[in-house]
């Protein structure tokens, strides 16, 4: 059987060859057939005993060693000079039919030299959570890593309680993180940084090769992609939960779905992560923290921006300074269609922010509120508060300036406001059932998340009070 995987070529300082752990009874519980075919894998082979052995790290292709990559990172603002893949193994890279290169990585596959006294394993719950949410994000056209497969290991692991062990197979444009560059900058390894810049340009910004300074062009590309990514998150009410520099990719993909969640009731300062006690990564802080992370990336690249340190710093500040305007432009480009607006108006930002104030004051559900507007339904039960009535009047006046008909405007809204998202309580239900051996709830939810714009009353509803998930936890 020909497999598309080939060796990921990193210098020894960047990645350590290390075998995944041995597991006695791995079992495939989820496989992304469409993604497998895109990558050149035969789904029927991946379901075979040989395929499951590959997806659980029990076998590897000759000449393609499994690797654990090195990186550092600011975790909740504190710099940790060595983190790295503590429970992940890079199986190799593949090139799809379009010529795009992807990493294929196992998560929860055992300890590595970067495990820092951890067991290197993952529980079934966090694996399924990442599978569901990353595939939901892909269906919403958000740049994201993808889930190829989930495998149970047949072993019990201990966290706050005994849980089934599992492994996620993750596919990424690359695993180059801001923290990857920080690792080598902290060691003043100029040669390694140059290698990383070349790799990042090859993978993620090939047009930068034509620039007078390719590293500057690379950085500008990363800034613009992050502005668009965070704007997309914000438009969907998505809270990543742990925007450490080791969780920001140069590819602009969303990565590491640990304590992430989608908003139910809108609150600008909403935090889900159980360890984010000071609200550093609250919903409304995400644009600011993305800029902060990009500043840390710039610090690692200063020698490549200009040989004169002052000139390099001045250029970096100018390039980073464009992030806020790029973000705001991208955010408005996402929010206008949610209100049926295809043209730009000078007061659009004020109109959108006024709606968000009403939604927060009235404790309205983020996703359902926009979907109700798209259906021309009332946002609240009973009489509308005066603030909402005023906003509706302002919105109707703005819509009257649109060249498109009201019907076309509603069609635009339907296409930009999902009906079904990976609601926290639904994900929790799927995990709870799977932990008892019932994967039918997981499969049903996964299929619905892949069609987010189709109406489905059962999956659209926000949680009942007793179903609300107040905190999420890191796992994979």
């Amino acid at each position: 059987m020909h497999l598309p995987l080939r060796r990921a070529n990193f210098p020894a300082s960047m990645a350590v060859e290390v075998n995944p752990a041995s597991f006695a009874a791995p079992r495939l519980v989820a496989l992304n057939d469409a993604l497998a075919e895109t990558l050149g894998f035969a789904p029927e082979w991946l379901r075979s005993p040989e395929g499951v052995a590959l997806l659980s790290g029990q076998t590897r292709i000759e000449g393609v060693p499994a690797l654990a990559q090195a990186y550092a990172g600011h975790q909740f603002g504190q710099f940790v000079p060595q983190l790295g893949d503590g429970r992940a193994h890079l199986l190799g890279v593949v090139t799809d039919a379009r010529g795009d290169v992807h990493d294929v990585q196992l998560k929860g596959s055992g300890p590595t030299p970067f495990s820092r006294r951890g067991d290197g394993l993952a529980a079934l719950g966090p694996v399924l959570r990442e599978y569901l949410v990353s595939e939901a994000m892909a269906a919403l056209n958000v740049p994201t890593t993808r889930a190829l497969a989930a495998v149970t290991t047949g072993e019990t692991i201990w966290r706050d309680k005994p849980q089934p062990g599992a492994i996620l197979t993750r596919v990424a444009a690359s695993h180059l993180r801001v923290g990857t560059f920080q690792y080598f900058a902290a060691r003043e390894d100029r040669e390694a940084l140059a290698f990383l810049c070349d790799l990042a340009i090859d993978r993620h910004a090939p047009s930068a090769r034509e620039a007078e300074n390719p590293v500057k062009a690379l950085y500008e590309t990363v800034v613009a992609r992050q502005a668009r990514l965070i704007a997309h998150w914000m438009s969907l009410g998505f809270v990543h939960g742990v925007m450490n520099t080791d969780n920001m990719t140069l590819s602009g993909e969303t990565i590491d779905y640990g304590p992430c969640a989608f908003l139910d009731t809108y609150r600008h300062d909403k935090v889900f992560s159980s360890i984010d006690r000071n609200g550093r990564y609250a919903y409304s802080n995400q644009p600011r923290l993305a800029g902060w992370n990009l500043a840390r990336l710039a610090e690692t690249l200063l020698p490549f921006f200009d040989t004169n340190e002052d000139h390099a710093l001045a250029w970096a500040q100018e390039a980073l300074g464009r992030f806020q305007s790029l973000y705001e432009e991208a955010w408005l480009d996402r929010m206008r269609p949610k209100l049926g607006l295809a043209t730009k108006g000078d007061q659009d930002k004020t109109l959108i922010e006024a709606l968000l104030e009403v939604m927060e004051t009235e404790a309205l559900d983020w996703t359902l509120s926009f979907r109700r507007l798209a259906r021309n339904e009332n946002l609240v039960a009973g009489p509308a508060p005066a603030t909402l009535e005023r906003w509706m009047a302002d919105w109707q006046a703005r819509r009257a300036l649109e060249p498109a008909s009201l019907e076309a405007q509603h069609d635009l809204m339907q296409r930009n406001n999902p009906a079904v998202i990976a609601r926290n309580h639904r994900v929790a239900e799927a995990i709870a059932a799977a932990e008892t051996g019932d994967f039918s709830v997981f499969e049903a939810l996964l299929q619905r998340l892949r069609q987010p714009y189709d109406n489905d009353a059962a999956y659209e509803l926000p949680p009942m009070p007793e179903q609300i998930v107040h905190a999420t936890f890191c796992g994979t």
Side-chain angles (χ1 to χ4, degrees):
M1 174 67 189
H2 169 73
L3 294 176
L5 276 171
R6 65 182 188 277
R7 182 188 182 107
N9 291 314
F10 287 103
S13 62
M14 295 187 182
V16 179
E17 293 187 15
V18 56
N19 290 329
S22 296
F23 302 105
R27 181 170 74 93
L28 183 69
V29 295
L31 180 66
N32 191 332
D33 287 44
L35 179 60
E37 291 174 351
T38 297
L39 298 175
F41 291 99
E44 60 274 16
W45 185 85
L46 289 176
R47 287 190 170 86
S48 71
E50 294 82 5
V52 175
L54 179 72
L55 295 171
S56 58
Q58 304 311 288
T59 62
R60 283 164 301 285
I61 301 169
E62 185 177 355
V64 186
L67 303 175
Q69 293 176 258
Y71 54 84
H74 275 88
Q75 298 199 315
F76 291 89
Q78 301 300 313
F79 184 63
V80 182
Q82 180 169 302
L83 294 168
D85 290 331
R87 50 181 153 191
H89 295 79
L90 181 64
L91 289 185
V93 297
V94 300
T95 301
D96 65 22
R98 297 187 307 178
D100 295 329
V101 180
H102 307 269
D103 285 359
V104 179
Q105 182 196 64
L106 302 182
K107 294 183 67 180
S109 42
T112 77
F114 303 111
S115 294
R116 295 183 297 162
R117 299 186 299 278
D119 61 14
L121 305 176
L124 178 62
V127 164
L128 295 186
R129 181 182 188 83
E130 178 156 347
Y131 199 116
L132 287 168
V133 182
S134 63
E135 287 306 293
M137 294 285 269
L140 291 164
N141 293 315
V142 180
T144 179
T145 59
R146 300 290 302 278
L148 176 61
V151 173
T152 54
T153 63
E155 299 184 359
T156 298
I157 68 170
W158 292 85
R159 295 297 182 257
D160 56 328
K161 61 180 180 180
Q163 300 177 55
I167 298 170
L168 177 78
T169 305
R170 178 167 72 186
V171 177
S174 82
H175 287 84
L176 296 179
R177 312 159 185 258
V178 173
T180 313
F181 286 75
Q182 289 182 296
Y183 181 90
F184 295 100
R187 288 156 179 77
E188 299 183 352
D189 190 338
R190 178 76 176 268
E191 183 178 350
L193 287 170
F195 177 92
L196 290 174
C197 288
D198 283 339
L199 180 59
I201 290 169
D202 287 345
R203 285 272 194 113
H204 309 308
S207 62
R209 286 274 177 232
E210 308 303 318
E212 181 179 351
N213 184 320
V215 179
K216 282 184 175 181
L218 169 66
Y219 184 72
E220 290 174 326
T221 299
V222 174
V223 169
R225 282 183 178 160
Q226 287 297 326
R228 293 193 296 269
L229 177 65
I230 305 304
H232 211 157
W233 289 1
M234 300 294 283
S235 74
L236 294 167
F238 177 74
V239 183
H240 183 275
V242 60
M243 289 177 64
N244 297 330
T245 56
D246 53 292
N247 290 337
M248 175 180 274
T249 63
L250 270 74
S251 66
E253 289 185 331
T254 311
I255 193 171
D256 286 329
Y257 291 90
C260 67
F262 286 87
L263 295 172
D264 292 314
T265 299
Y266 173 56
R267 265 185 40 203
H268 78 280
D269 59 349
K270 180 63 178 174
V271 172
F272 289 97
S273 173
S274 61
I275 59 175
D276 191 2
R277 297 179 180 87
N278 297 318
R280 178 179 175 86
Y281 299 135
Y283 169 76
S284 59
N285 283 347
Q286 293 182 132
R288 180 177 63 83
L289 266 297
W292 193 89
N293 288 349
L294 288 166
R296 307 289 76 76
L297 176 62
E299 290 169 352
T300 72
L301 299 177
L302 287 176
F304 300 93
F305 293 157
D306 200 293
T307 54
N308 181 297
E309 185 175 350
D310 291 338
H311 292 170
L313 183 59
W315 183 89
Q317 290 172 336
E318 179 183 351
L320 181 60
R322 290 191 286 271
F323 172 80
Q324 183 59 37
S325 61
L326 288 169
Y327 163 74
E328 186 169 301
E329 180 181 3
W331 180 75
L332 286 170
D333 285 347
R334 289 283 171 193
M335 297 301 292
R336 285 191 185 98
K338 292 173 76 69
L339 296 179
L341 308 178
T343 65
K344 297 181 179 181
D346 293 340
Q347 298 302 311
D348 290 350
K349 182 181 179 183
T350 300
L351 179 71
I352 296 164
E353 290 177 340
L355 173 61
L356 300 187
E357 288 179 10
V358 173
M359 288 173 59
E360 186 156 18
T361 300
E362 300 300 321
L364 301 182
D365 183 86
W366 178 276
T367 302
L368 194 55
S369 292
F370 283 104
R371 192 69 179 182
R372 282 174 171 164
L373 288 174
R375 294 171 178 155
N376 204 26
E377 297 174 353
N378 293 330
L379 291 190
V380 296
T387 52
L388 179 55
E389 288 186 341
R390 287 195 296 270
W391 183 83
M392 293 293 292
D394 291 341
W395 180 43
Q396 298 304 335
R398 173 63 180 87
R399 293 178 70 186
L401 301 176
E402 288 288 299
S405 67
L406 291 179
E407 182 181 2
Q409 291 177 36
H410 279 290
D411 180 64
L412 180 64
M413 295 171 71
Q414 295 273 7
R415 289 184 280 111
N416 286 276
N417 290 304
V420 179
I421 57 167
R423 288 192 181 271
N424 312 318
H425 69 295
R426 287 291 188 182
V427 173
E429 289 170 356
I431 291 171
E435 288 176 338
T436 70
D438 177 8
F439 286 87
S440 64
V441 183
F442 166 84
E443 288 292 345
L445 178 58
L446 180 62
Q447 294 310 311
R448 284 303 300 113
L449 293 173
R450 285 176 169 158
Q451 302 294 329
Y453 298 98
D454 291 353
N455 295 327
D456 191 322
Y459 283 91
E460 291 177 26
L461 294 176
M464 300 293 287
E466 66 275 11
Q467 295 176 307
I468 295 175
V469 175
H470 295 283
T472 51
F473 303 87
C474 291
T476 56

